[in-house]
Amino acid sequence: MLACSRLTFIFLTVAVPCALSQHAPPWTEDCRKSTYPPSGPTYRGPVPWYTINLDLPPYKRWQELITDKAPALKVIVNSLKDVVNAFVPSGKIMQIVDQKLPGLLGNFPGPYEEEMKGVADITGIPLGEIISFNIFYEFFTICTSIIAEDKKGHLIHGRNMDFGIFLGWNINNNSWVVTEELKPLTVNLDFQRNNKTVFKASSFAGYVGALTGFKPGLFSLTLNERFSTNGGYMGVLEWILGKKDAMWIGFITRSVLENSTSYEEAKNILTKTKILAPAYFILGGNKSGEGCVITRGRKKSLDVYELDSKEGRWYVVETNYDRWKNPFFLDDRRTAAKMCLNQTTQENISLPTIYDILSTKPVLNKLTVFTTLMDVTKGQFETYLRDCPDPCIGW
Ligand SMILES: *[C@@H]1O[C@H](CO)[C@@H](O)[C@H](O)[C@H]1NC(C)=O
Ligand SMILES: *[C@@H]1O[C@H](CO)[C@@H](O)[C@H](O)[C@H]1NC(C)=O
Ligand SMILES: *[C@@H]1O[C@H](CO)[C@@H](O)[C@H](O)[C@H]1NC(C)=O
Ligand SMILES: *[C@@H]1O[C@H](CO)[C@@H](O)[C@H](O)[C@H]1NC(C)=O
Ligand SMILES: *[C@@H]1O[C@H](CO)[C@@H](O)[C@H](O)[C@H]1NC(C)=O
Ligand SMILES: *[C@@H]1O[C@H](CO)[C@@H](O)[C@H](O)[C@H]1NC(C)=O
């Protein structure tokens, strides 16, 4: 949605000077050790839990949560408006978003339309802006996801949620504006039917999709953004023009978490369903070998890279680059994560050691909003808000 030349401008002025050597201290550091349980300057605090009752009609499900979080949601929606108005000062874009976007996009399938309407009505924020808030994550989610298997075949799935690049830099305290505003909006959600957990997710209040979640005992799923020239913009355009056979990526992950009942079923759907934007799905199961990174084009899967302990492949790591390509030279979180996994060794893989790896710069960076740790078989699901005090790289 933002013009490329302007992005390049921001990139050159803000980003490049501090990124010239992402491979050297202070932007990188030795693999962290003994950082768990979280404490100290890189730990911002805990994340509150809310229950989302799937037995309620979609329009009503988010009421309690959104009533609590409406002020914080208004702050961020206003920031995003400011960004848009900075690019197109006439205010025309926001006018279109408020008045025309819901009509342009038409109805969303499943529960999503009614859920977003519920959020809009409770907050008094125009539906078009709530929809934009939901679409945003299709484009700007820069993350690191890891699934590792220990010597006993036990799986741990971890992820850093990095979000807010290019959306404004606060020069007073060297932080990303939107990243900071997302921290008070971060919530843990327990989606229930008949008073029983169906799945759990870590998310941002006002967002009705799911980018990070698990189904206890069955599988875990995270979504990372994939940049591609045949990107999501084309998908959205086709959607507007009436071709609605593809799924929004944050909505397909929510549907899988809610309705799939096994690793294999989830894998099948995530591999085959047409989607609006390219993406990486990082899916873990409940036993040895069940962990994969699915690299998706909009129409089909390009690669499914799965754990294979016998071949020595006891972990998979995904940041935001195809595994057969080098990462962008200013953004190599992948090598850092792999190096720390190698140093940890398969013997010592555990929830705490995965937290150590996700706490090591530049895997941890100024875009990191939260860290989630999931143990499907033990039913553990933990999310922690993060900070990355100076010196720390912007992404
Ligand atoms: C930076 O300042 C903003 C605005 O005052 C505040 O919301 C945010 O929490 C600060 N971030 C950090 C990392 O101190
Ligand atoms: C869920 O639990 C609440 C209180 O514990 C109870 O009032 C309600 O009837 C239960 N709902 C279902 C669907 O079992
Ligand atoms: C899950 O399946 C139920 C029953 O088919 C459906 O009503 C619901 O919309 C689905 N949930 C999602 C998130 O797609
Ligand atoms: C693991 O997942 C499968 C479905 O893929 C399920 O049938 C099985 O019961 C699960 N195992 C455990 C121990 O929960
Ligand atoms: C990690 O270890 C594997 C297997 O020994 C090796 O191929 C790979 O180059 C190592 N990666 C890093 C970043 O150290
Ligand atoms: C693995 O953990 C054990 C026990 O905490 C420790 O003694 C050992 O040094 C660790 N190994 C590595 C490679 O970190």
Side-chain angles (χ1 to χ4, degrees):
M1 266 180 257
L2 306 180
C4 274
S5 57
R6 187 66 182 253
L7 286 186
T8 313
F9 172 75
I10 295 178
F11 190 72
L12 290 175
T13 51
V14 177
V16 172
C18 72
L20 278 174
S21 52
Q22 202 199 25
H23 308 283
W27 314 123
T28 62
E29 57 189 343
D30 292 340
C31 301
R32 299 291 309 271
K33 289 214 161 73
S34 310
T35 58
Y36 186 95
S39 68
T42 65
Y43 174 48
R44 166 74 68 101
V47 174
W49 279 97
Y50 286 84
T51 298
I52 304 297
N53 183 354
L54 293 170
D55 296 321
L56 289 175
Y59 183 84
K60 296 214 161 136
R61 286 174 188 167
W62 297 91
Q63 193 160 0
E64 183 204 352
L65 166 64
I66 297 301
T67 305
D68 280 5
K69 296 289 183 183
L73 185 55
K74 283 181 187 150
V75 167
I76 197 162
V77 167
N78 280 329
S79 283
L80 296 177
K81 270 204 289 229
D82 290 346
V83 172
V84 172
N85 287 334
F87 282 92
V88 186
S90 66
K92 278 257 161 52
I93 301 264
M94 284 320 299
Q95 214 179 323
I96 292 173
V97 166
D98 288 352
Q99 294 167 7
K100 302 241 167 73
L101 190 71
L104 271 177
L105 292 173
N107 275 356
F108 288 86
Y112 305 113
E113 179 82 17
E114 284 300 306
E115 289 189 12
M116 288 190 287
K117 281 187 176 149
V119 172
D121 286 354
I122 295 161
T123 52
I125 297 171
L127 179 60
E129 292 175 24
I130 294 296
I131 294 175
S132 307
F133 182 76
N134 275 271
I135 291 178
F136 238 73
Y137 301 94
E138 307 269 317
F139 299 108
F140 293 101
T141 316
I142 301 180
C143 308
T144 302
S145 293
I146 298 172
I147 300 177
E149 176 173 331
D150 72 9
K151 281 275 182 193
K152 294 182 187 129
H154 189 93
L155 303 170
I156 306 285
H157 188 159
R159 83 111 94 240
N160 274 356
M161 171 61 87
D162 300 353
F163 193 89
I165 197 162
F166 300 136
L167 301 173
W169 177 257
N170 185 341
I171 51 170
N172 295 324
N173 61 5
N174 285 339
S175 65
W176 293 101
V177 174
V178 168
T179 308
E180 294 302 316
E181 289 173 354
L182 281 171
K183 291 176 188 176
L185 272 186
T186 304
V187 286
N188 286 323
L189 303 174
D190 186 347
F191 287 81
Q192 298 190 347
R193 271 190 209 115
N194 298 320
N195 285 349
K196 283 209 196 74
T197 297
V198 176
F199 70 102
K200 292 182 179 174
S202 288
S203 192
F204 303 120
Y207 182 64
V208 301
L211 305 170
T212 308
F214 89 155
K215 210 156 185 158
L218 295 176
F219 62 86
S220 53
L221 177 59
T222 56
L223 182 148
N224 288 14
E225 161 97 47
R226 178 168 177 260
F227 303 100
S228 154
T229 43
N230 183 13
Y233 308 99
M234 286 305 298
V236 174
L237 197 63
E238 285 182 11
W239 178 280
I240 289 173
L241 295 176
K243 200 158 167 268
K244 307 208 173 185
D245 60 340
M247 287 274 279
W248 296 79
I249 51 178
F251 292 171
I252 190 179
T253 40
R254 155 98 186 260
S255 292
V256 162
L257 282 162
E258 195 167 309
N259 285 335
S260 292
T261 54
S262 71
Y263 172 78
E264 285 305 329
E265 183 188 341
K267 186 165 123 188
N268 194 35
I269 293 173
L270 294 169
T271 313
K272 299 203 173 125
T273 311
K274 274 200 213 172
I275 50 180
L276 239 65
Y280 303 100
F281 297 119
I282 301 89
L283 177 70
N286 65 11
K287 60 170 184 280
S288 171
E290 288 190 342
C292 63
V293 175
I294 301 168
T295 303
R296 281 296 314 258
R298 291 200 288 128
K299 299 214 162 57
K300 60 177 203 279
S301 155
L302 304 177
D303 182 60
V304 179
Y305 191 65
E306 203 155 31
L307 290 172
D308 187 348
S309 233
K310 283 190 205 81
E311 292 292 315
R313 198 187 299 152
W314 53 273
Y315 62 76
V316 289
V317 173
E318 181 54 53
T319 58
N320 302 94
Y321 303 95
D322 296 345
R323 73 178 172 86
W324 56 92
K325 291 185 186 153
N326 286 328
F328 181 47
F329 75 106
L330 292 175
D331 177 30
D332 190 4
R333 287 162 287 129
R334 182 169 75 191
T335 304
K338 286 186 173 177
M339 202 177 74
C340 293
L341 279 156
N342 283 358
Q343 273 187 29
T344 304
T345 70
Q346 191 178 7
E347 280 80 2
N348 282 2
I349 284 301
S350 65
L351 215 94
T353 54
I354 295 292
Y355 187 81
D356 287 341
I357 294 163
L358 292 170
S359 302
T360 300
K361 296 187 282 189
V363 178
L364 179 76
N365 58 69
K366 285 193 183 280
L367 285 170
T368 308
V369 180
F370 62 79
T371 298
T372 299
L373 305 168
M374 296 181 275
D375 183 328
V376 167
T377 46
K378 287 191 186 154
Q380 275 172 294
F381 186 96
E382 301 178 3
T383 293
Y384 302 100
L385 291 180
R386 305 309 303 266
D387 274 328
C388 195
D390 289 325
C392 176
I393 196 158
W395 58 87

